[in-house]
Amino acid sequence: MIDIQKIRADFPILNQTVNGKPLVYFDNAATAQKPLVVIEAIEKYYKEINANIHRGVHTLSQLATDAYEVSRNTIQKHLNAKHSYEIIFTAGTTFGINLVANGFAALLKEGDEVMVSHLEHHSNIVPWQLLCERTGAKLVVIPMNDEGELNLDEFEKQLSDNVKVVAVNHISNALGTVNPIKEIIEKAHKVGAAVLIDGAQATPHLKPDVQELDCDFYAFSGHKVCGPTGVGALYGKEEWLRKLPPYQGGGEMIAEVTFEKTTYADLPHKFEAGTPNIAGGIVLGTALDYLNTIGFENIASYEQELLEYATEKLLQIEGLKIYGTGKNKASVISFNIEGIHPYDIGTIVDKLGVAVRTGHHCAQPIMQYFNIPGTIRASFAFYNTKEEIDIFVEAVQKAQVMLS
């Protein structure tokens, strides 16, 4: 059960006005707000144990190293990874995907195939395009339907022994569609393909079990789960992480360096070159602990209530069309109003204190499918309320009147 007033008290940014109106923050799919426990943990690190990690024998270095590795263990348990060394700290989901795509450059050849879906964020398209350009592999796209769901029958037909990698998101950032990734993983594994899951949009709403899913890679970002920006994590099965070459060279990722030859450190340090975002890594664990205290079942149930309530309210507006009407959705609503550009709606509702995202949401192929320039996207988190949805809907109605 969500105690909404207690939770909202944890988020100081929500208690402010924007353009003279109480802030209604519905841009959670872009970044989530931070609870006090996260803000205070960042301050505590810099006040008390700021030091470089893994390299020092002095006390502060040891304290920082311990805190960093405790956070790695927290992430391991959160994802139910088999080993803590299967968790690689990254700068975020995009970094994690690029790390994997770069590694596969050493494993692919001309004629091999890499599959992505029509529902992907650019971060799960462009790295694979670059990989295909480097190796001569072919990019294959899993099609979607008018509801914003993947066509699994076509996916199965597209699979062959040539497919070496399948990269799909767990939840679409633009439409909110929850993809049947377990089924996709099972089908891909039958032809021997590795599967990377972009979990950026899923991890704020649910708790993925990477062993149960049997995915080969799972990437997510700290800032989506109420943690800091500029940090994230990549889960990789040990067998794959050992096969892939290092992504970057530098300090920490080495075992021994000579001018003749360099040998690499063991996992996970093989993929963690240079001084990392130490505070971010430590506090990512703090953010996950906070969410687990609320409980992901409670979060999912409450956000589903918000989604259903907002959908019903918005559909009462004449000329409003929702994009992404799949049976299984996260708390994201993308919509347009007939005859009005989404940017104009977004600008006016901002003047009324409501923050939403407008544009193509780094998912231009989806917009091209629907033949639209973009959408207005409202994305809800567990700290939002139905009262805020009422304010939002009224703001959209006012914008429609002003722009008609």
Side-chain angles (χ1 to χ4, degrees):
M1 192 73 177
I2 292 280
D3 184 343
I4 190 63
Q5 295 310 318
K6 182 177 182 295
I7 287 171
R8 284 180 67 84
D10 290 337
F11 291 83
I13 200 169
L14 300 179
N15 302 316
Q16 65 173 299
T17 58
V18 171
N19 295 318
K21 305 286 185 181
L23 171 64
V24 173
Y25 185 79
F26 285 170
D27 195 21
N28 296 288
T31 198
Q33 296 303 339
K34 319 306 174 196
L36 272 171
V37 65
V38 164
I39 297 167
E40 289 168 352
I42 295 171
E43 183 182 32
K44 179 181 173 66
Y45 166 78
Y46 283 114
K47 276 186 170 181
E48 297 180 12
I49 60 169
N50 178 40
N52 215 325
I53 56 173
H54 297 140
R55 306 176 195 179
V57 296
H58 64 81
T59 300
L60 291 189
S61 180
Q62 291 298 313
L63 289 171
T65 298
D66 290 347
Y68 196 74
E69 293 305 323
V70 165
S71 182
R72 194 191 305 274
N73 292 337
T74 297
I75 297 165
Q76 175 206 348
K77 291 171 187 171
H78 182 77
L79 297 179
N80 191 32
K82 193 172 183 180
H83 307 289
S84 64
Y85 55 75
E86 292 179 314
I87 303 301
I88 310 298
F89 279 110
T90 68
T93 306
T94 299
F95 189 103
I97 295 169
N98 276 276
L99 184 159
V100 176
N102 182 79
F104 268 91
L107 304 178
L108 298 190
K109 63 183 185 305
E110 191 169 351
D112 288 339
E113 294 180 349
V114 175
M115 297 185 74
V116 299
S117 89
H118 206 125
L119 284 174
E120 300 312 306
H121 188 282
H122 297 163
S123 294
N124 207 21
I125 299 173
V126 179
W128 304 110
Q129 288 177 324
L130 292 171
L131 172 65
C132 289
E133 288 171 5
R134 289 173 64 186
T135 62
K138 179 184 176 185
L139 192 74
V140 178
V141 180
I142 307 166
M144 61 180 270
N145 61 24
D146 291 349
E147 285 71 46
E149 299 171 318
L150 294 181
N151 187 327
L152 293 191
D153 290 337
E154 284 301 311
F155 167 62
E156 200 156 12
K157 291 176 187 174
Q158 292 170 314
L159 282 171
S160 73
D161 291 341
N162 292 330
V163 178
K164 305 303 178 186
V165 185
V166 176
V168 296
N169 56 35
H170 198 159
I171 295 178
S172 164
N173 74 301
L175 303 180
T177 307
V178 181
N179 287 319
I181 60 167
K182 186 167 175 58
E183 184 178 352
I184 290 169
I185 292 163
E186 288 172 354
K187 291 180 187 300
H189 281 171
K190 285 180 181 177
V191 299
V195 183
L196 177 141
I197 302 299
D198 171 356
Q201 294 298 326
T203 42
H205 307 293
L206 52 84
K207 193 171 180 177
D209 183 330
V210 294
Q211 289 194 73
E212 194 269 333
L213 290 170
D214 198 29
C215 57
D216 300 291
F217 303 97
Y218 196 101
F220 74 97
S221 297
H223 71 102
K224 308 282 191 186
V225 291
C226 300
T229 55
V231 71
L234 170 71
Y235 158 79
K237 281 183 182 174
E238 179 180 1
E239 62 186 278
W240 277 111
L241 293 178
R242 296 203 181 279
K243 286 180 190 176
L244 299 185
Y247 180 43
Q248 295 178 328
E252 191 61 30
M253 52 75 66
I254 57 89
E256 184 177 358
V257 176
T258 68
F259 286 116
E260 290 70 37
K261 182 176 176 59
T262 292
T263 55
Y264 305 124
D266 203 357
L267 298 175
H269 307 297
K270 170 183 169 183
F271 294 104
E272 295 182 349
T275 298
N277 180 353
I278 301 169
I282 292 170
V283 179
L284 175 52
T286 305
L288 291 176
D289 283 340
Y290 175 81
L291 293 177
N292 279 302
T293 299
I294 297 170
F296 278 84
E297 287 186 7
N298 293 329
I299 288 171
S301 175
Y302 180 69
E303 288 178 348
Q304 185 64 30
E305 275 185 48
L306 294 179
L307 175 65
E308 291 173 3
Y309 184 82
T311 301
E312 180 184 350
K313 291 285 186 178
L314 284 169
L315 286 175
Q316 294 173 16
I317 298 175
E318 188 175 348
L320 186 144
K321 178 177 180 178
I322 291 175
Y323 297 90
T325 55
K327 297 179 185 67
N328 196 358
K329 278 190 64 174
S331 52
V332 172
I333 302 178
S334 272
F335 66 94
N336 280 330
I337 296 177
E338 187 178 356
I340 303 175
H341 196 282
Y343 179 83
D344 295 334
I345 295 281
T347 301
I348 291 176
V349 299
D350 174 62
K351 299 298 182 189
L352 298 172
V354 180
V356 294
R357 180 71 46 161
T358 62
H360 54 66
H361 316 301
C362 295
Q364 286 181 328
I366 292 176
M367 305 306 148
Q368 290 159 4
Y369 178 93
F370 290 115
N371 195 29
I372 54 177
T375 66
I376 304 138
R377 185 186 69 187
S379 47
F380 315 115
F382 59 90
Y383 45 69
N384 292 130
T385 67
K386 290 180 180 177
E387 290 75 20
E388 288 182 313
I389 290 171
D390 290 338
I391 293 168
F392 165 58
V393 172
E394 185 179 348
V396 171
Q397 290 171 321
K398 287 179 179 177
Q400 182 184 32
V401 171
M402 291 173 65
L403 295 166
S404 296

